[in-house]
Amino acid sequence: MATIYEVSKLAGVSLATVSRVMNNSSRVSPKTRQKVLAAMQKLDYHPNTIAQSLASKRSNSVGVLVSELHGPIFGSLVSGIEEELTRAGKFSIFAVGHSDGEKEKDGINFLISRNCDALIFHLEASSDEFLLAQKNSALPFVIVNRLVSGLEENCISLNNVKGGIEATRFLLKQGHRDIAYISGPLHWGDAGQRLAGHKTALAEFGIPFDPNIMVEGDYLVQSGYVAMKQLFGRKAKFTAVICANDEMAVGAMDAIREQGLSMPEDISLVGFDNVRWAPFLSPKLTTVNNPVNEMGRMAARWVLKNVYGINDRPIQTFFEPEIVVRESAGARV
Amino acid sequence: MATIYEVSKLAGVSLATVSRVMNNSSRVSPKTRQKVLAAMQKLDYHPNTIAQSLASKRSNSVGVLVSELHGPIFGSLVSGIEEELTRAGKFSIFAVGHSDGEKEKDGINFLISRNCDALIFHLEASSDEFLLAQKNSALPFVIVNRLVSGLEENCISLNNVKGGIEATRFLLKQGHRDIAYISGPLHWGDAGQRLAGHKTALAEFGIPFDPNIMVEGDYLVQSGYVAMKQLFGRKAKFTAVICANDEMAVGAMDAIREQGLSMPEDISLVGFDNVRWAPFLSPKLTTVNNPVNEMGRMAARWVLKNVYGINDRPIQTFFEPEIVVRESAGARV
DNA sequence: CTGTTAGCGCATTCAA
DNA sequence: TTGAATGCGCTAACAG
């Protein structure tokens, strides 16, 4: 790889001048600019971003810490972030937290050590206190998919409570009164909020929450299956089920079919997230929209605006989910 | 952030010594090592990886260029790579190519400029010639999911031909004789290979390939739907359909249902890839396994072995796909 | 508008 | 075993 020295030599100018035409930092006469450009071309010169970042103390790259790199949720989160950042000429550096407190900290340290200009967090294991403490750190950061009080301006989040309300209200309006609920891990914020929404909607209709038709799952397919089996085992009466995410809804579907029941005739099912394959299921899954890709984009724009001063697109920090009606849930018969 | 200077000052040793304890590069007396370690701890010192990489000309990070960051295929490819690399203490830097020749080149340049020690490519638009030319570049690289002749040692790939054979043979053995085929974009290697396998299996059974029951799609859901509609429109006779990937199979399913037909009774359907949600479909999709996650891991191990000299796990460079029998395809009635 | 001069934080010779 | 000196490739004052 050619270096800036060789370019400056070939162009017959100084180091600084080459640097200037690269960064458009200050005026350079068209003539010398041409010479430099020609030399760069000739040498197939590509600046060493590592050196740039060491010298300039900024890297044009933003660190992104997510729980996983795969899966419908993280995948679309990550690509939303990446696209928006790339569009603005910034780079993304990813680290994976695996929903583990230690790994999340390791990831943050890794990103910091890479001279990132800012950080985007999707943290599950780290506490609010930890996040609040980061507030005083040098690096600006934004949190996706979580609303930490005291850090409102740094959060891009979804109204999970409303999501829970929407799902339940929909079923209520369809005439259902006995609605089972399979929640996510309740020690995570969003799972608790979605459940709270469910209870709120129930209360609106004067229906008491019945713990006997509620099971706590772990957001994975298998757990939806198991939870559904448990529900059937309890011999409790219910005509509809809400799953706190689509993954579990898929597992629940299997259990429902095994039971010889069909949807939505015998039982109505509603999911949450509206993952890409929700409309491919049979019956097509009625679910609550979770605009993760958009939230990812917004997190990226937040950084673009607050760190790089690029503010050419609107930023929305709070999202209201809506129910997406398809086939898996219908009127109570 | 504390620097190495502050650590050396606090510990009362030289720069070089601090560097030595960090890298275990040469013997340091236990005593001074302890002093340095203590100082690092006290200052919460984290080495600046950017500076390390500039000084040492190696970054402990490997560049990964993939077509997309989301979706069942890329997601699991990417996380396979990331996990394996992280396990060995190496870092991953991602760039996205979007199946576009220019963007793929940009991505490569980005990765090179980040001082990556090696590159992992999942390229779709770039030609074999381009790849062959890279052979002479300074950076070692490995190609996933593609077999380029002349670069065999640098490729981790799937026997797509065999995949096509397996899918078709399975249907043939079930008694089907008129098997429609919805292919991927034929200018991409794997799509052509899968189709070639299909033809091979047909030939084995002495059945001529009928272009009238074959449509070229683009690997996306919608295209499976459209292709299936076309097939029905042609009024051609067929009792089974193979889709060159699961995405299109899902689209085809929709079209088949709209036609009032059911699977596998009226028509048998086989996909390709065995994506995570294939078993969630109804009927559960019979498909051909595509071990992308494993291939990602192998690419990472290739780098670990050939670039970093870490060779603690077996490496497999060529994968043989197998049919995964579920419910969407059955005996011809 | 252009060149000179210092570093950025660290690894790595070479001596001691 | 340890320290001093040099440079990785580039940016950023400061002069000119």
Side-chain angles (χ1 to χ4, degrees):
Chain A
M1 293 290 284
T3 73
I4 196 173
Y5 290 98
E6 311 174 35
V7 175
S8 79
K9 196 158 297 171
L10 184 64
V13 299
S14 76
L15 271 199
T17 303
V18 177
S19 176
R20 283 184 189 109
V21 342
M22 283 173 51
N23 304 303
N24 290 320
S25 54
S26 90
R27 294 286 85 204
V28 178
S29 83
K31 231 179 193 154
T32 48
R33 167 180 299 274
Q34 280 318 313
K35 281 196 298 188
V36 172
L37 254 21
M40 300 211 296
Q41 189 106 41
K42 195 163 183 181
L43 294 171
D44 190 31
Y45 170 76
H46 293 280
N48 181 326
T49 57
I50 294 285
Q52 287 181 316
S53 116
L54 184 61
S56 67
K57 302 271 217 173
R58 43 138 61 202
S59 56
N60 272 325
S61 60
V62 354
V64 182
L65 181 57
V66 286
S67 293
E68 302 292 344
L69 284 176
H70 61 262
I73 297 292
F74 302 120
S76 73
L77 177 68
V78 155
S79 38
I81 294 174
E82 196 273 339
E83 277 185 34
E84 204 76 9
L85 251 25
T86 298
R87 189 182 54 76
K90 306 302 174 188
F91 303 114
S92 328
I93 309 277
F94 295 99
V96 181
H98 292 299
S99 309
D100 175 287
E102 277 314 302
K103 290 183 183 157
E104 289 182 351
K105 288 199 181 66
D106 288 351
I108 295 179
N109 285 331
F110 164 59
L111 296 174
I112 291 177
S113 82
R114 305 287 317 183
N115 276 18
C116 292
D117 299 328
L119 263 23
I120 296 180
F121 291 144
H122 178 281
L123 261 24
E124 295 185 319
S126 299
S127 64
D128 283 10
E129 292 68 41
F130 175 77
L131 257 11
L132 278 161
Q134 296 299 114
K135 177 88 172 182
N136 307 316
S137 88
L139 275 184
F141 64 91
V142 55
I143 301 168
V144 205
N145 204 31
R146 180 161 165 179
L147 184 56
V148 179
S149 63
L151 244 38
E152 288 80 2
E153 293 128 38
N154 300 56
C155 292
I156 309 287
S157 63
L158 180 71
N159 190 341
N160 282 294
V161 174
K162 191 198 169 210
I165 292 178
E166 290 295 301
T168 306
R169 259 194 206 148
F170 172 77
L171 290 169
L172 254 8
K173 286 182 185 159
Q174 299 285 321
H176 295 277
R177 288 300 174 265
D178 303 291
I179 304 173
Y181 192 94
I182 301 178
S183 82
L186 292 174
H187 54 91
W188 285 353
D190 55 3
Q193 290 155 16
R194 290 172 191 185
L195 177 58
H198 171 62
K199 291 180 178 172
T200 302
L202 246 28
E204 279 176 2
F205 279 66
I207 298 172
F209 170 74
D210 178 3
N212 196 41
I213 50 173
M214 130 98 189
V215 179
E216 180 176 346
D218 65 5
Y219 274 156
L220 300 179
V221 177
Q222 182 62 14
S223 111
Y225 178 85
V226 172
M228 202 65 226
K229 287 282 186 191
Q230 278 184 256
L231 250 15
F232 284 134
R234 291 185 189 167
K235 309 266 182 231
K237 194 184 96 185
F238 55 88
T239 60
V241 187
I242 295 174
C243 291
N245 76 349
D246 291 352
E247 294 268 329
M248 295 194 297
V250 150
M253 269 191 175
D254 255 5
I256 290 170
R257 272 199 213 94
E258 276 189 26
Q259 194 74 9
L261 300 175
S262 65
M263 296 157 281
E265 295 76 12
D266 302 314
I267 195 165
S268 281
L269 180 68
V270 173
F272 201 117
D273 278 349
N274 192 24
V275 299
R276 214 176 58 93
W277 37 262
F280 308 159
L281 299 171
S282 166
K284 304 187 199 311
L285 186 64
T286 289
T287 184
V288 176
N289 189 47
N290 183 358
V292 271
N293 184 272
E294 274 298 296
M295 293 200 289
R297 307 191 104 85
M298 294 310 160
R301 289 184 196 172
W302 186 98
V303 170
L304 257 19
K305 175 185 172 192
N306 295 294
V307 179
Y308 297 111
I310 302 174
N311 192 12
D312 59 345
R313 301 213 174 180
I315 297 183
Q316 181 181 347
T317 58
F318 198 61
F319 286 79
E320 300 288 346
E322 284 154 22
I323 185 128
V324 179
V325 178
R326 287 197 269 252
E327 305 169 348
S328 66
R332 179 189 182 188
V333 284
Chain B
M1 292 292 285
T3 74
I4 197 173
Y5 290 99
E6 312 175 33
V7 174
S8 80
K9 196 158 297 173
L10 184 65
V13 298
S14 76
L15 272 198
T17 303
V18 178
S19 176
R20 284 185 189 108
V21 342
M22 283 175 49
N23 303 304
N24 290 320
S25 54
S26 92
R27 294 285 85 202
V28 177
S29 82
K31 230 177 193 157
T32 48
R33 169 179 297 275
Q34 281 317 314
K35 282 195 298 188
V36 172
L37 254 20
M40 299 210 297
Q41 189 107 40
K42 194 162 181 180
L43 294 170
D44 188 32
Y45 170 75
H46 293 280
N48 181 326
T49 57
I50 293 286
Q52 286 181 317
S53 117
L54 184 61
S56 68
K57 303 276 222 169
R58 43 139 60 203
S59 56
N60 272 325
S61 60
V62 354
V64 181
L65 182 56
V66 287
S67 294
E68 303 291 344
L69 284 177
H70 62 260
I73 298 292
F74 302 119
S76 73
L77 176 69
V78 155
S79 34
I81 295 175
E82 196 274 339
E83 276 184 36
E84 205 76 10
L85 251 24
T86 299
R87 190 182 55 75
K90 306 301 175 190
F91 303 113
S92 328
I93 310 277
F94 295 99
V96 181
H98 291 299
S99 307
D100 174 287
E102 277 313 302
K103 288 182 184 159
E104 289 182 352
K105 287 198 181 67
D106 288 351
I108 295 178
N109 286 330
F110 164 59
L111 295 174
I112 291 177
S113 81
R114 306 281 323 179
N115 276 18
C116 291
D117 299 329
L119 263 23
I120 296 180
F121 291 144
H122 178 281
L123 261 23
E124 294 186 320
S126 300
S127 65
D128 283 10
E129 291 68 41
F130 175 77
L131 257 11
L132 278 161
Q134 296 299 113
K135 176 87 171 180
N136 306 317
S137 88
L139 274 185
F141 64 92
V142 55
I143 302 169
V144 205
N145 203 32
R146 180 160 164 178
L147 184 57
V148 179
S149 61
L151 245 36
E152 288 80 1
E153 293 127 38
N154 299 55
C155 292
I156 309 286
S157 63
L158 181 72
N159 189 341
N160 282 295
V161 175
K162 191 198 167 211
I165 292 178
E166 290 295 300
T168 306
R169 261 195 205 147
F170 173 76
L171 290 170
L172 253 10
K173 285 181 185 161
Q174 298 287 320
H176 295 277
R177 288 300 174 265
D178 303 292
I179 304 173
Y181 193 94
I182 301 179
S183 82
L186 292 174
H187 54 91
W188 285 354
D190 56 2
Q193 291 155 17
R194 291 173 190 184
L195 177 59
H198 170 63
K199 291 180 179 173
T200 303
L202 245 28
E204 278 177 3
F205 279 67
I207 298 171
F209 171 75
D210 177 6
N212 197 40
I213 51 173
M214 129 97 188
V215 178
E216 180 177 348
D218 65 5
Y219 274 155
L220 301 180
V221 176
Q222 181 63 13
S223 111
Y225 178 86
V226 171
M228 201 65 226
K229 286 282 186 192
Q230 278 182 257
L231 249 17
F232 284 133
R234 290 183 191 168
K235 309 263 179 233
K237 194 183 94 184
F238 55 88
T239 61
V241 188
I242 294 174
C243 292
N245 76 349
D246 291 352
E247 294 268 330
M248 294 193 298
V250 149
M253 269 192 174
D254 255 5
I256 290 170
R257 271 199 215 92
E258 275 190 26
Q259 195 76 7
L261 300 174
S262 64
M263 296 157 281
E265 295 76 13
D266 302 315
I267 195 164
S268 280
L269 180 68
V270 173
F272 202 116
D273 279 348
N274 192 24
V275 299
R276 213 176 57 95
W277 37 261
F280 308 159
L281 298 171
S282 167
K284 302 186 200 309
L285 187 65
T286 288
T287 183
V288 176
N289 190 47
N290 183 357
V292 272
N293 185 272
E294 273 300 295
M295 294 201 288
R297 307 190 104 85
M298 294 308 160
R301 288 184 196 172
W302 186 99
V303 170
L304 256 18
K305 175 185 171 191
N306 294 294
V307 178
Y308 297 111
I310 302 174
N311 191 12
D312 59 345
R313 303 215 171 177
I315 298 184
Q316 182 182 348
T317 57
F318 199 60
F319 287 79
E320 300 289 346
E322 284 154 22
I323 186 129
V324 180
V325 178
R326 285 197 271 251
E327 306 169 349
S328 66
R332 178 189 181 187
V333 284

